Amino acid sequence: MAKVKISDMIIEWLQTHSDGKTIANHNVQTDCVTYIKSWHDRNVLPSTVEREFRRLRNQESHLLRDSGIELTDQEMKYGENTWTLKNNL
């Protein structure tokens, strides 16, 4: 069986959140890593997940759109980037 890609696991994690939720960098580096460990039994580094999340946002945003996810940039809060999640599914 093929391994699930980190980008797919990030999308799954985003889909577990309600519409309008604020997602911050620390959520990606902690909560998403915990989700991946819990649901996929894979150990991943927070920096790896953050890098893949950045790639999804900047270079592969069609994968998010195709999954019904839209991230809207917010101003920095508490010194970190934040986004508002719109979950269209």
Side-chain angles (χ1 to χ4, degrees):
M1 177 190 282
K3 272 189 171 183
V4 178
K5 294 190 286 184
I6 292 175
S7 59
D8 293 334
M9 291 184 274
I10 292 170
I11 290 170
E12 284 177 20
W13 173 72
L14 288 168
Q15 289 174 331
T16 66
H17 292 82
S18 58
D19 193 39
K21 176 163 176 69
T22 297
I23 303 291
N25 270 347
H26 77 272
N27 298 120
V28 175
Q29 294 177 352
T30 57
D31 301 346
C32 186
V33 170
T34 301
Y35 174 87
I36 291 170
K37 176 63 178 162
S38 297
W39 287 95
H40 294 280
D41 197 29
R42 285 197 38 203
N43 290 316
V44 291
L45 294 173
S47 59
T48 301
V49 175
E50 174 61 28
R51 196 169 35 253
E52 188 63 20
F53 181 65
R54 189 171 41 248
R55 189 186 67 77
L56 274 172
R57 286 189 341 264
N58 297 330
Q59 298 170 2
E60 302 283 342
S61 59
H62 68 280
L63 295 174
L64 293 172
R65 280 192 307 276
D66 293 348
S67 299
I69 295 170
E70 183 180 330
L71 294 171
T72 305
D73 284 330
Q74 291 184 353
E75 58 189 58
M76 288 187 70
K77 291 186 179 179
Y78 310 111
E80 68 178 331
N81 293 323
T82 57
W83 302 268
T84 300
L85 173 70
K86 183 167 174 78
N87 199 337
N88 296 319
L89 293 180

